[in-house]
DNA sequence: GTACGTGCAAAATGTTTGCATCATT
DNA sequence: AATGATGCAAACATTTTGCACGTAC
């Protein structure tokens, strides 16, 4: 496990420190999409000295190198995800971020018009990283 | 125009103040997805006294009542949109939020599996407001 | 007239940065 | 040995809140 992380880091030319492996391990250990704060708490349990700033720095480095991803939420808190493959996030009414179950996800991705991303990028003239569907509000809340 | 805003507000039981109509007018006047800060600047031009806190309060009230919507971005700044119909936002590499052109948007929405939102909500057990597709990183940046 | 909105300043929250020290390569 | 990461605290940015006053209903 740790060896696996070491090789991932080496591949991306990331210096391998215990704090960084801790953060990465914490991030990959959960299906949730934790905030920096939450990751900090998770890491603290094993390595009490770790500072919040280091968690932020590490997350930056991970996102930079493509080992993690910042996921958008409507309420300005950053959430992170170690799953960097194409997949769908559902954002609930109370701003939780959940992965869409695989079968539904495939259903959606398979039904998407071919070449959508490319066509979109050429129309907009800039790379696109997320596509977000905003549902209009349902019945009164 | 102003009469129109008054009636929208009345419908939603929102008290109609000049600051609120200013903010709403500013928000509907643009296809961009402005931040609170930007809206504040826009409003200042016409009504210099308006405070940033009021802009935030107003945006809260507008989102609450369904006249506007907070749109998710990866970098923790809130952006707002007065178009509350189902539509697609493309989030670019530098965190700009752009509306997907209508034709592409229809193409996508029409090809979506039927009843997706309902099925998703029943599977997750909670209302869903956005669905966000994260594209995996393309070639090296 | 009352309930609610406003402006201001201060607080709360989330994230970044500067710098001396320490660890990985 | 050199480069870059860490921890701490302070800076910074964004959003929220408390309170006295004012305005829409």
């Amino acid at each position: 496990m740790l060896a696996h992380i070491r090789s991932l880091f080496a591949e991306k030319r990331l210096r391998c420190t215990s704090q960084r492996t801790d953060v990465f391990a914490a991030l990959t250990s959960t299906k949730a999409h934790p905030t920096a704060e939450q990751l900090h708490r998770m890491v603290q349990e094993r390595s009490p000295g770790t500072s919040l700033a280091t968690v932020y720095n590490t997350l930056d480095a991970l996102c930079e190198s493509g080992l993690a991803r910042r996921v958008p939420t409507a309420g300005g808190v950053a959430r992170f995800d170690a799953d960097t493959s194409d997949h769908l996030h559902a954002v609930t009414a109370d701003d939780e971020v959940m992965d869409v179950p695989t079968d539904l996800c495939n259903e959606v991705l398979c039904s998407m018009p071919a070449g959508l991303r490319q066509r979109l990028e050429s129309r907009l003239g800039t790379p696109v990283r997320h596509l977000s569907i905003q549902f209009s509000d349902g019945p009164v809340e």
Side-chain angles (χ1 to χ4, degrees), chain A:
Chain A
M1 188 71 234
L2 211 156
H4 179 234
I5 296 182
R6 288 190 76 83
S7 78
L8 275 178
F9 280 20
E11 206 175 304
K12 300 292 183 178
R13 244 131 285 181
L14 282 182
R15 211 169 262 217
C16 187
T17 68
S18 66
Q19 294 88 338
R20 284 178 172 200
T21 56
D22 284 352
V23 171
F24 188 68
L27 186 56
T28 46
S29 78
T30 174
K31 297 183 306 195
H33 302 83
T35 63
E37 197 64 49
Q38 290 171 328
L39 286 165
H40 185 226
R41 268 197 292 277
M42 294 166 78
V43 167
Q44 293 276 45
E45 280 166 28
R46 284 181 81 273
S47 319
T50 314
S51 86
L52 181 56
T54 295
V55 173
Y56 275 107
N57 289 336
T58 300
L59 288 169
D60 263 17
L62 291 175
C63 291
E64 196 91 355
S65 68
L67 289 178
R69 176 139 66 181
R70 214 176 284 263
V71 312
T73 68
V77 224
R79 307 195 88 97
F80 297 87
D81 189 349
D83 180 353
T84 59
S85 64
D86 284 1
H87 66 288
L88 296 179
H89 288 144
V91 182
T92 69
D94 34 85
D95 254 316
E96 288 302 305
V97 177
M98 321 184 74
D99 285 325
V100 172
T102 322
D103 56 328
L104 278 182
C105 182
N106 286 335
E107 226 187 298
V108 175
L109 291 177
C110 292
S111 68
M112 292 254 293
L116 175 69
R117 186 183 185 179
Q118 286 85 341
R119 282 191 285 153
L120 188 53
E121 294 188 336
S122 76
R123 289 280 285 279
L124 296 179
T126 173
V128 170
R129 287 201 306 202
H130 310 103
L131 206 56
S132 141
I133 301 168
Q134 310 251 332
F135 292 120
S136 49
D137 278 343
V140 219
E141 359 194 345

